[in-house]
mmCIF file of all heavy atoms in Angstrom:
data_model
loop_
_atom_site.group_PDB
_atom_site.id
_atom_site.type_symbol
_atom_site.label_atom_id
_atom_site.label_comp_id
_atom_site.label_asym_id
_atom_site.label_seq_id
_atom_site.Cartn_x
_atom_site.Cartn_y
_atom_site.Cartn_z
ATOM 1 N N GLU A 224 127.170 113.589 78.044
ATOM 2 C CA GLU A 224 126.686 112.873 76.865
ATOM 3 C C GLU A 224 127.750 111.916 76.332
ATOM 4 O O GLU A 224 127.464 111.075 75.493
ATOM 5 C CB GLU A 224 126.313 113.875 75.772
ATOM 6 C CG GLU A 224 125.184 114.800 76.181
ATOM 7 C CD GLU A 224 125.044 115.961 75.231
ATOM 8 O OE1 GLU A 224 125.790 116.948 75.404
ATOM 9 O OE2 GLU A 224 124.200 115.875 74.318
ATOM 10 N N ALA A 225 128.986 112.097 76.803
ATOM 11 C CA ALA A 225 130.085 111.229 76.370
ATOM 12 C C ALA A 225 131.112 111.119 77.491
ATOM 13 O O ALA A 225 131.251 112.030 78.310
ATOM 14 C CB ALA A 225 130.749 111.780 75.113
ATOM 15 N N VAL A 226 131.803 109.985 77.511
ATOM 16 C CA VAL A 226 132.924 109.773 78.421
ATOM 17 C C VAL A 226 134.103 109.364 77.562
ATOM 18 O O VAL A 226 134.016 108.406 76.783
ATOM 19 C CB VAL A 226 132.626 108.669 79.460
ATOM 20 C CG1 VAL A 226 133.853 108.385 80.308
ATOM 21 C CG2 VAL A 226 131.446 109.055 80.336
ATOM 22 N N LEU A 227 135.211 110.100 77.675
ATOM 23 C CA LEU A 227 136.420 109.785 76.910
ATOM 24 C C LEU A 227 137.413 109.081 77.823
ATOM 25 O O LEU A 227 137.708 109.558 78.926
ATOM 26 C CB LEU A 227 137.056 111.063 76.344
ATOM 27 C CG LEU A 227 136.413 111.637 75.083
ATOM 28 C CD1 LEU A 227 135.047 112.219 75.375
ATOM 29 C CD2 LEU A 227 137.302 112.693 74.465
ATOM 30 N N VAL A 228 137.902 107.929 77.352
ATOM 31 C CA VAL A 228 138.847 107.101 78.093
ATOM 32 C C VAL A 228 139.942 106.687 77.123
ATOM 33 O O VAL A 228 139.681 106.487 75.932
ATOM 34 C CB VAL A 228 138.156 105.836 78.662
ATOM 35 C CG1 VAL A 228 139.103 105.024 79.508
ATOM 36 C CG2 VAL A 228 136.927 106.206 79.452
ATOM 37 N N TRP A 229 141.177 106.534 77.617
ATOM 38 C CA TRP A 229 142.296 106.169 76.753
ATOM 39 C C TRP A 229 142.082 104.805 76.103
ATOM 40 O O TRP A 229 142.204 104.645 74.906
ATOM 41 C CB TRP A 229 143.599 106.197 77.544
ATOM 42 C CG TRP A 229 144.790 105.666 76.809
ATOM 43 C CD1 TRP A 229 145.498 104.548 77.112
ATOM 44 C CD2 TRP A 229 145.402 106.219 75.634
ATOM 45 N NE1 TRP A 229 146.517 104.364 76.203
ATOM 46 C CE2 TRP A 229 146.478 105.382 75.286
ATOM 47 C CE3 TRP A 229 145.148 107.325 74.840
ATOM 48 C CZ2 TRP A 229 147.297 105.618 74.195
ATOM 49 C CZ3 TRP A 229 145.966 107.559 73.753
ATOM 50 C CH2 TRP A 229 147.024 106.717 73.440
ATOM 51 N N SER A 230 141.761 103.787 76.903
ATOM 52 C CA SER A 230 141.594 102.425 76.365
ATOM 53 C C SER A 230 140.687 101.625 77.295
ATOM 54 O O SER A 230 140.461 102.023 78.436
ATOM 55 C CB SER A 230 142.957 101.732 76.221
ATOM 56 O OG SER A 230 143.552 101.569 77.494
ATOM 57 N N PRO A 231 140.167 100.489 76.840
ATOM 58 C CA PRO A 231 139.244 99.702 77.672
ATOM 59 C C PRO A 231 139.844 99.282 79.012
ATOM 60 O O PRO A 231 139.146 99.247 80.017
ATOM 61 C CB PRO A 231 138.925 98.472 76.820
ATOM 62 C CG PRO A 231 139.286 98.830 75.430
ATOM 63 C CD PRO A 231 140.360 99.876 75.518
ATOM 64 N N ASP A 232 141.157 98.976 79.046
ATOM 65 C CA ASP A 232 141.738 98.512 80.307
ATOM 66 C C ASP A 232 141.865 99.618 81.340
ATOM 67 O O ASP A 232 142.082 99.355 82.514
ATOM 68 C CB ASP A 232 143.081 97.820 80.074
ATOM 69 C CG ASP A 232 144.174 98.765 79.632
ATOM 70 O OD1 ASP A 232 143.876 99.766 78.957
ATOM 71 O OD2 ASP A 232 145.346 98.497 79.965
ATOM 72 N N ARG A 233 141.728 100.878 80.946
ATOM 73 C CA ARG A 233 141.690 101.971 81.927
ATOM 74 C C ARG A 233 140.341 101.976 82.632
ATOM 75 O O ARG A 233 140.244 102.372 83.776
ATOM 76 C CB ARG A 233 141.943 103.340 81.273
ATOM 77 C CG ARG A 233 143.317 103.512 80.637
ATOM 78 C CD ARG A 233 144.465 103.338 81.612
ATOM 79 N NE ARG A 233 144.882 101.951 81.737
ATOM 80 C CZ ARG A 233 145.578 101.453 82.752
ATOM 81 N NH1 ARG A 233 145.946 102.207 83.746
ATOM 82 N NH2 ARG A 233 145.917 100.184 82.780
ATOM 83 N N LEU A 234 139.297 101.524 81.938
ATOM 84 C CA LEU A 234 137.984 101.382 82.575
ATOM 85 C C LEU A 234 137.995 100.197 83.534
ATOM 86 O O LEU A 234 137.605 100.313 84.687
ATOM 87 C CB LEU A 234 136.897 101.143 81.522
ATOM 88 C CG LEU A 234 136.289 102.348 80.838
ATOM 89 C CD1 LEU A 234 135.283 101.905 79.791
ATOM 90 C CD2 LEU A 234 135.645 103.283 81.829
ATOM 91 N N ALA A 235 138.438 99.046 83.035
ATOM 92 C CA ALA A 235 138.448 97.831 83.847
ATOM 93 C C ALA A 235 139.376 96.814 83.206
ATOM 94 O O ALA A 235 139.530 96.787 81.988
ATOM 95 C CB ALA A 235 137.043 97.256 83.962
ATOM 96 N N ARG A 236 139.972 95.975 84.035
ATOM 97 C CA ARG A 236 140.861 94.927 83.530
ATOM 98 C C ARG A 236 140.092 93.677 83.139
ATOM 99 O O ARG A 236 140.550 92.908 82.319
ATOM 100 C CB ARG A 236 141.897 94.550 84.590
ATOM 101 C CG ARG A 236 143.035 95.517 84.704
ATOM 102 C CD ARG A 236 143.985 95.302 83.570
ATOM 103 N NE ARG A 236 145.147 96.164 83.714
ATOM 104 C CZ ARG A 236 146.120 96.194 82.847
ATOM 105 N NH1 ARG A 236 146.090 95.435 81.778
ATOM 106 N NH2 ARG A 236 147.135 96.985 83.016
ATOM 107 N N ARG A 237 138.937 93.475 83.741
ATOM 108 C CA ARG A 237 138.151 92.286 83.428
ATOM 109 C C ARG A 237 137.153 92.620 82.334
ATOM 110 O O ARG A 237 136.459 93.635 82.383
ATOM 111 C CB ARG A 237 137.416 91.796 84.670
ATOM 112 C CG ARG A 237 138.360 91.249 85.715
ATOM 113 C CD ARG A 237 137.602 90.485 86.780
ATOM 114 N NE ARG A 237 138.531 89.828 87.667
ATOM 115 C CZ ARG A 237 138.811 90.255 88.897
ATOM 116 N NH1 ARG A 237 138.226 91.322 89.367
ATOM 117 N NH2 ARG A 237 139.678 89.603 89.636
ATOM 118 N N TYR A 238 137.056 91.730 81.377
ATOM 119 C CA TYR A 238 136.154 91.966 80.255
ATOM 120 C C TYR A 238 134.707 92.126 80.725
ATOM 121 O O TYR A 238 133.985 93.015 80.267
ATOM 122 C CB TYR A 238 136.257 90.832 79.228
ATOM 123 C CG TYR A 238 135.228 90.968 78.144
ATOM 124 C CD1 TYR A 238 135.283 92.032 77.250
ATOM 125 C CD2 TYR A 238 134.173 90.071 78.041
ATOM 126 C CE1 TYR A 238 134.320 92.191 76.275
ATOM 127 C CE2 TYR A 238 133.214 90.219 77.068
ATOM 128 C CZ TYR A 238 133.291 91.283 76.183
ATOM 129 O OH TYR A 238 132.330 91.437 75.228
ATOM 130 N N ALA A 239 134.284 91.288 81.666
ATOM 131 C CA ALA A 239 132.904 91.373 82.156
ATOM 132 C C ALA A 239 132.630 92.749 82.768
ATOM 133 O O ALA A 239 131.560 93.327 82.573
ATOM 134 C CB ALA A 239 132.634 90.276 83.171
ATOM 135 N N SER A 240 133.598 93.299 83.485
ATOM 136 C CA SER A 240 133.428 94.629 84.082
ATOM 137 C C SER A 240 133.367 95.702 83.004
ATOM 138 O O SER A 240 132.593 96.665 83.121
ATOM 139 C CB SER A 240 134.582 94.929 85.040
ATOM 140 O OG SER A 240 134.599 94.002 86.094
ATOM 141 N N GLN A 241 134.164 95.537 81.943
ATOM 142 C CA GLN A 241 134.106 96.489 80.826
ATOM 143 C C GLN A 241 132.705 96.492 80.215
ATOM 144 O O GLN A 241 132.138 97.552 79.940
ATOM 145 C CB GLN A 241 135.132 96.124 79.751
ATOM 146 C CG GLN A 241 136.559 96.364 80.153
ATOM 147 C CD GLN A 241 137.534 95.874 79.088
ATOM 148 O OE1 GLN A 241 137.147 95.493 77.988
ATOM 149 N NE2 GLN A 241 138.810 95.886 79.419
ATOM 150 N N VAL A 242 132.142 95.301 80.021
ATOM 151 C CA VAL A 242 130.808 95.201 79.430
ATOM 152 C C VAL A 242 129.781 95.885 80.325
ATOM 153 O O VAL A 242 128.927 96.633 79.847
ATOM 154 C CB VAL A 242 130.428 93.716 79.186
ATOM 155 C CG1 VAL A 242 128.961 93.579 78.805
ATOM 156 C CG2 VAL A 242 131.312 93.127 78.099
ATOM 157 N N VAL A 243 129.874 95.663 81.644
ATOM 158 C CA VAL A 243 128.946 96.302 82.582
ATOM 159 C C VAL A 243 129.006 97.817 82.432
ATOM 160 O O VAL A 243 127.976 98.491 82.317
ATOM 161 C CB VAL A 243 129.265 95.887 84.039
ATOM 162 C CG1 VAL A 243 128.556 96.788 85.035
ATOM 163 C CG2 VAL A 243 128.890 94.431 84.269
ATOM 164 N N LEU A 244 130.222 98.365 82.422
ATOM 165 C CA LEU A 244 130.377 99.823 82.338
ATOM 166 C C LEU A 244 129.908 100.370 80.992
ATOM 167 O O LEU A 244 129.243 101.405 80.934
ATOM 168 C CB LEU A 244 131.835 100.207 82.586
ATOM 169 C CG LEU A 244 132.337 99.961 84.013
ATOM 170 C CD1 LEU A 244 133.837 100.167 84.106
ATOM 171 C CD2 LEU A 244 131.611 100.846 85.010
ATOM 172 N N LEU A 245 130.244 99.682 79.904
ATOM 173 C CA LEU A 245 129.837 100.150 78.578
ATOM 174 C C LEU A 245 128.319 100.092 78.406
ATOM 175 O O LEU A 245 127.708 101.046 77.898
ATOM 176 C CB LEU A 245 130.539 99.336 77.489
ATOM 177 C CG LEU A 245 132.060 99.526 77.391
ATOM 178 C CD1 LEU A 245 132.662 98.508 76.434
ATOM 179 C CD2 LEU A 245 132.410 100.936 76.972
ATOM 180 N N GLU A 246 127.703 98.997 78.853
ATOM 181 C CA GLU A 246 126.249 98.882 78.728
ATOM 182 C C GLU A 246 125.531 99.877 79.630
ATOM 183 O O GLU A 246 124.507 100.442 79.257
ATOM 184 C CB GLU A 246 125.801 97.455 79.035
ATOM 185 C CG GLU A 246 126.155 96.482 77.937
ATOM 186 C CD GLU A 246 125.686 95.061 78.211
ATOM 187 O OE1 GLU A 246 125.177 94.791 79.329
ATOM 188 O OE2 GLU A 246 125.831 94.224 77.313
ATOM 189 N N GLU A 247 126.087 100.114 80.802
ATOM 190 C CA GLU A 247 125.501 101.087 81.731
ATOM 191 C C GLU A 247 125.490 102.488 81.104
ATOM 192 O O GLU A 247 124.491 103.195 81.170
ATOM 193 C CB GLU A 247 126.333 101.084 83.020
ATOM 194 C CG GLU A 247 125.844 101.965 84.124
ATOM 195 C CD GLU A 247 126.772 101.860 85.321
ATOM 196 O OE1 GLU A 247 127.760 102.608 85.387
ATOM 197 O OE2 GLU A 247 126.497 101.011 86.201
ATOM 198 N N ARG A 248 126.595 102.869 80.473
ATOM 199 C CA ARG A 248 126.662 104.185 79.807
ATOM 200 C C ARG A 248 125.691 104.249 78.625
ATOM 201 O O ARG A 248 125.024 105.252 78.418
ATOM 202 C CB ARG A 248 128.082 104.466 79.297
ATOM 203 C CG ARG A 248 129.184 104.524 80.328
ATOM 204 C CD ARG A 248 129.158 105.733 81.252
ATOM 205 N NE ARG A 248 127.970 105.882 82.065
ATOM 206 C CZ ARG A 248 127.704 105.183 83.190
ATOM 207 N NH1 ARG A 248 128.542 104.280 83.614
ATOM 208 N NH2 ARG A 248 126.597 105.381 83.873
#
Side-chain angles (χ1 to χ4, degrees):
E224 297 167 277
V226 175
L227 281 70
V228 184
W229 172 246
S230 64
D232 69 329
R233 297 301 87 200
L234 276 177
R236 281 283 184 181
R237 292 193 173 104
Y238 173 66
S240 298
Q241 289 175 8
V242 170
V243 166
L244 292 171
L245 293 171
E246 287 181 354
E247 183 180 88
R248 299 290 60 78

